[in-house]
Amino acid sequence: MGKEFRGTIADQPDFDAGSDAEALYNAMKGFGSDKEAILDLITSRSNAQRQKIRAAYKSQYGKDLIDDLKYELTGKFERLIVGLMRTPAYHDAKEIKDAIKDTGAGTDEKCLIEILASRTNEQIHNLVAAYKDAYGRDLEEDVIGDTSGHFRKMLIVLLQGTREEDDVVSEDLVEQDAQDLYDAGEAQWGTDEAKFIMLLGNRSVTHLQLVFDEYEKIAEKSIEDSIKSELSGDFERLMLAVVQCIRSKPMFFAKCLYKSMKGLGTADNTLIRIMVSRSETDMLDIRECFRLRYEKSLYNMIQDDTSGEYKRTLLKLCGGDDDIAGEFFPEAAQIAYKMWETSSMTKVQLRGTVRPYQNFDPASDAKALRKAMKGFGTDEDTIIDIVTQRSNAQRQEIRRIFKSLLGRDLMADLKSELSKNLERLILGLMMTPAEFDAKMMKKAMEGAGTDEHSLIEILVTRSNQEIQEMCAAYKNAYKKSLEDAIASETSGKFKRILISLAQGAREEGPADMARALEDAQELADACNSESDDMEDKFMSILCTRSFPHLRRVFQEFVRCSNKDIEQIIKKEMSGDFKNAMFAIVRSVKNQPSYFADRLYKAMKVKVHCYEIHFPQHLSRNRRNNLKQLI
């Protein structure tokens, strides 16, 4: 990235500190305060300019601006504005002091980790000096008094601010350092924590990036995975943070920001700290890394998770909504390319949760099921236990034996004895995969409307063989070809996509590198074409190429266009066509993740959606990749 400015807050042209000081004084004068004027002014000035405003305010009015802001403002908005008014070093010092002060609440180790793992040597030195000036105490002594063990040792190393500078790369030591890390952990019983501390706390960023690559060749696992298996507790979290910052500080902060807002409640201290400290440093790259990893803009997540003047201030620091853009910033483009490269090189092994039952006795199971349904009431627990603990092939054997032994249709009996969601789920499990998919396709197209999302999900994620078997099952069950049904229930280019996928003729096999480059360039060129031409080109490639080949295509697309294939689809396409293209890309990238997202949405929305879709996902994926979903 070099020295290119990557922040969202820069110097204000035609800056006048005296005029700004007067504007802030007037905004706080009298009854109440003009919060909009305060946030607009402070978020449109750089930190250096804010310090001049603070000096001018004291000179003109004999008062401390921060004290007045604290008096006039309240809550999270006050903490955010006051944080912006401090210099970076004094802001870090205040955060560290709050993290270790004796309040009875314990130490905020996450704050210590975030700040000390991510700051440069110069920033550390300035922080230590600011801490001494503000609190008359030695920061190292306070950290020693408030922490312990290897966690404390690594913090003290980082507090020295003596990491080798980035232009220091000892090529002859790269392989040796990688081997030393391996010998200190994976290669022995126990862990030599001192070796990890010495190397990760002192070597330059560029040097360690090379060491991590070499380590992976030696250990056949990432340094992060080794740290997780060899270390524990706060020490483990600190070392992982150091490694993440070595790899990419913007990605590290993107992860911290996401964690601060996900789930119930918001970790406002973390959110404020990062937005304040990175707004003039690398916020543009953090935004792109956030969008890349979480497929949602930082802007939109802040908008959904906060409110009032606090929200408006955070959004100004964020600087823009990346969901309306498709291009990458430099570091994010490199990360995106690397992520697709990892995806294209990784062989995904599907892992189900239901396996063939040992000591399987179909006759015994058939009798047990019949007994569970005889007489008054139904023994649902027995039915659930048997059906969910047999593989699909074993269930088909039970169906055959049930009819031959008892002269009854097991499916009909289950349907008459069970009801609602349980009935649909159990019957879905008792069908063959092809029968089940055919049933779901039929259900998606019958009635007043069409469930386009289910059509997309099934046709995008099934193999050629599964699609062909489903088409045969559909024809057998409903006396009509699936293609004809799709043609009568859908229209336009969406219909063409579904019919193309329903042929079950997607290419198979590994990526063809030369062809992948051609396909990526054609997709990139199509982005500058008319809408219809672009959609035709995307459909011709995304609906026909093998998944391994498409992973390589999407990787090279980043290089050809400096754009994100998913964002291009979101921005340039619409309706069901967009949803189908997006589902293909998500499934190519990581199919378990795609199903996880579908499951989440099925349970997040209204109850009737849950009742329709949740059994569909669960009965299908119990045998494929449910472990990866959870």
Side-chain angles (χ1 to χ4, degrees):
M1 290 172 56
K3 296 184 181 299
E4 181 186 0
F5 180 72
R6 307 301 300 155
T8 51
I9 305 295
D11 284 341
Q12 174 78 6
D14 304 320
F15 170 66
D16 184 333
S19 176
D20 285 348
E22 183 180 359
L24 287 172
Y25 179 79
N26 289 333
M28 293 184 282
K29 189 171 63 174
F31 182 74
S33 56
D34 187 346
K35 297 181 179 65
E36 283 290 338
I38 293 170
L39 75 87
D40 283 341
L41 193 150
I42 289 178
T43 58
S44 59
R45 307 296 188 270
S46 68
N47 190 273
Q49 290 175 332
R50 293 183 207 123
Q51 303 317 309
K52 292 178 182 178
I53 295 171
R54 189 177 174 190
Y57 192 92
K58 179 165 280 190
S59 175
Q60 291 172 209
Y61 303 106
K63 303 173 73 176
D64 184 80
L65 176 55
I66 287 183
D67 287 344
D68 279 3
L69 288 168
K70 285 182 178 179
Y71 180 80
E72 292 292 334
L73 308 178
T74 59
K76 295 173 286 190
F77 179 54
E78 176 220 318
R79 294 207 302 274
L80 178 53
I81 292 296
V82 169
L84 287 166
M85 288 305 306
R86 295 192 179 101
T87 66
Y90 280 83
H91 178 64
D92 280 350
K94 177 67 163 63
E95 292 295 302
I96 292 283
K97 186 69 170 74
D98 289 345
I100 59 179
K101 68 183 179 182
D102 185 18
T103 61
T107 306
D108 182 357
E109 291 85 3
K110 290 181 180 178
C111 174
L112 297 179
I113 290 170
E114 178 206 305
I115 292 176
L116 296 182
S118 64
R119 301 310 192 248
T120 64
N121 288 344
E122 182 181 3
Q123 289 170 333
I124 292 288
H125 296 154
N126 292 340
L127 158 63
V128 171
Y131 192 93
K132 182 77 171 178
D133 179 61
Y135 307 110
R137 300 174 63 88
D138 183 80
L139 177 54
E140 183 175 324
E141 290 180 2
D142 282 359
V143 169
I144 289 173
D146 214 57
T147 59
S148 62
H150 297 297
F151 177 59
R152 176 173 64 192
K153 292 176 185 175
M154 185 61 177
L155 290 176
I156 298 306
V157 167
L158 294 174
L159 270 173
Q160 306 314 300
T162 54
R163 184 181 296 284
E164 295 170 348
E165 296 302 328
D166 280 358
D167 58 353
V168 178
V169 178
S170 307
E171 294 184 13
D172 55 332
L173 282 178
V174 168
E175 189 173 342
Q176 183 59 55
D177 285 349
Q179 188 64 52
D180 286 349
L181 284 172
Y182 181 69
D183 292 342
E186 297 287 344
Q188 68 174 30
W189 179 261
T191 306
D192 182 357
E193 291 88 353
K195 182 63 70 175
F196 277 80
I197 291 172
M198 188 276 287
L199 292 175
L200 269 62
N202 290 284
R203 294 286 196 260
S204 75
V205 169
T206 307
H207 179 86
L208 284 173
Q209 287 171 344
L210 297 174
V211 169
F212 296 160
D213 289 341
E214 188 64 30
Y215 181 89
E216 197 154 347
K217 296 176 186 175
I218 296 171
E220 297 184 344
K221 64 192 300 187
S222 69
I223 185 69
E224 290 94 333
D225 286 341
S226 290
I227 287 173
K228 289 174 185 176
S229 63
E230 294 294 326
L231 310 179
S232 62
D234 292 326
F235 183 48
E236 174 197 339
R237 286 185 280 276
L238 173 58
M239 298 305 267
L240 285 173
V242 170
V243 169
Q244 289 167 12
C245 287
I246 295 296
R247 291 199 186 277
S248 169
K249 281 185 186 177
M251 183 60 82
F252 169 73
F253 285 115
K255 292 177 181 177
C256 292
L257 284 168
Y258 179 77
K259 290 177 182 176
S260 75
M261 291 181 280
K262 74 171 185 176
L264 295 175
T266 304
D268 292 293
N269 287 343
T270 299
L271 179 57
I272 292 170
R273 184 169 57 246
I274 296 174
M275 297 301 292
V276 168
S277 66
R278 310 314 294 187
S279 60
E280 294 184 42
T281 308
D282 52 4
M283 184 58 70
L284 292 175
D285 290 314
I286 292 171
R287 277 165 40 182
E288 279 299 308
C289 289
F290 193 99
R291 184 186 71 169
L292 176 66
R293 183 168 184 86
Y294 301 110
E295 295 165 357
K296 178 177 184 176
S297 72
L298 174 60
Y299 188 95
N300 274 331
M301 193 154 188
I302 291 172
Q303 200 165 40
D304 292 343
D305 213 62
T306 59
S307 61
E309 289 87 3
Y310 177 55
K311 174 175 76 173
R312 288 194 286 276
T313 308
L314 289 171
L315 291 178
K316 283 182 175 290
L317 296 178
C318 181
D321 184 0
D322 298 302
D323 279 350
I324 63 173
E327 293 195 16
F328 281 122
F329 294 125
E331 177 151 343
Q334 296 170 17
I335 295 171
Y337 188 86
K338 186 71 176 176
M339 286 176 67
W340 277 112
E341 181 178 51
T342 301
S343 175
S344 66
M345 295 171 62
T346 302
K347 184 175 177 58
V348 178
Q349 182 180 1
L350 301 181
R351 299 176 297 155
T353 52
V354 175
R355 298 180 177 84
Y357 188 70
Q358 299 298 314
N359 304 317
F360 174 58
D361 184 342
S364 176
D365 285 345
K367 292 174 183 176
L369 286 171
R370 177 58 187 151
K371 182 178 179 182
M373 293 184 282
K374 278 178 67 177
F376 182 75
T378 304
D379 184 352
E380 293 176 348
D381 287 340
T382 295
I383 295 172
I384 292 169
D385 287 343
I386 292 175
V387 172
T388 59
Q389 294 179 38
R390 308 299 186 268
S391 67
N392 191 272
Q394 290 175 333
R395 294 185 209 121
Q396 304 317 310
E397 183 65 18
I398 294 171
R399 282 177 67 179
R400 287 190 288 272
I401 295 296
F402 194 91
K403 178 162 279 190
S404 65
L405 274 181
L406 306 169
R408 303 175 66 90
D409 185 296
L410 177 56
M411 300 291 277
D413 281 4
L414 289 169
K415 193 168 185 177
S416 68
E417 293 293 329
L418 305 176
S419 62
K420 296 184 180 178
N421 294 332
L422 180 60
E423 174 205 329
R424 288 197 290 274
L425 181 54
I426 294 296
L427 288 177
L429 289 166
M430 289 304 304
M431 295 174 187
T432 67
E435 289 172 340
F436 178 73
D437 282 345
K439 174 73 172 177
M440 291 297 102
M441 292 293 286
K442 176 67 172 174
K443 189 174 185 64
M445 292 184 283
E446 67 185 4
T450 302
D451 182 358
E452 291 85 0
H453 289 291
S454 290
L455 299 180
I456 291 169
E457 175 204 309
I458 293 171
L459 290 174
V460 162
T461 60
R462 304 311 191 244
S463 68
N464 287 343
Q465 181 179 346
E466 288 172 332
I467 287 176
Q468 290 159 11
E469 290 173 353
M470 174 182 65
C471 287
Y474 193 97
K475 180 81 170 181
N476 181 61
Y478 308 112
K479 312 308 177 188
K480 181 179 183 180
S481 74
L482 178 58
E483 182 177 329
D484 288 345
I486 291 171
S488 65
E489 293 294 331
T490 58
S491 61
K493 288 189 177 179
F494 180 57
K495 175 176 73 175
R496 288 169 52 196
I497 291 175
L498 297 182
I499 289 176
S500 173
L501 295 173
Q503 304 311 301
R506 183 181 290 280
E507 295 170 5
E508 298 178 340
D512 179 333
M513 188 58 194
R515 192 181 180 207
L517 289 169
E518 293 176 5
D519 287 344
Q521 189 60 59
E522 288 184 15
L523 290 175
D525 293 342
C527 292
N528 299 316
S529 304
E530 294 293 328
S531 177
D532 285 348
D533 293 338
M534 182 183 74
E535 290 177 350
D536 286 342
K537 179 56 67 177
F538 269 66
M539 186 171 72
S540 69
I541 293 175
L542 271 63
C543 291
T544 61
R545 307 295 195 260
S546 71
F547 275 22
H549 182 83
L550 285 175
R551 290 189 190 101
R552 182 64 69 176
V553 171
F554 297 155
Q555 178 190 4
E556 296 305 324
F557 180 82
V558 174
R559 178 172 288 171
C560 291
S561 66
N562 195 43
K563 294 178 180 177
D564 172 8
I565 190 79
E566 294 179 55
Q567 289 300 320
I568 287 296
I569 289 170
K570 284 182 178 179
K571 181 182 177 183
E572 301 295 339
M573 300 175 187
S574 62
D576 296 325
F577 186 91
K578 177 187 76 172
N579 294 335
M581 290 290 103
F582 192 71
I584 291 172
V585 174
R586 290 294 312 278
S587 194
V588 166
K589 179 188 282 187
N590 187 323
Q591 197 169 97
S593 175
Y594 169 73
F595 280 121
D597 184 58
R598 290 283 291 147
L599 283 167
Y600 175 75
K601 289 176 179 175
M603 292 182 281
K604 180 181 178 183
V605 295
K606 294 178 182 178
V607 173
H608 77 270
C609 295
Y610 160 81
E611 292 174 348
I612 293 171
H613 296 300
F614 188 67
Q616 172 182 331
H617 299 305
L618 208 55
S619 58
R620 175 79 196 184
N621 287 291
R622 287 185 68 88
R623 62 183 180 280
N624 283 344
N625 49 14
L626 194 55
K627 278 189 178 178
Q628 287 159 285
L629 303 185
I630 59 176

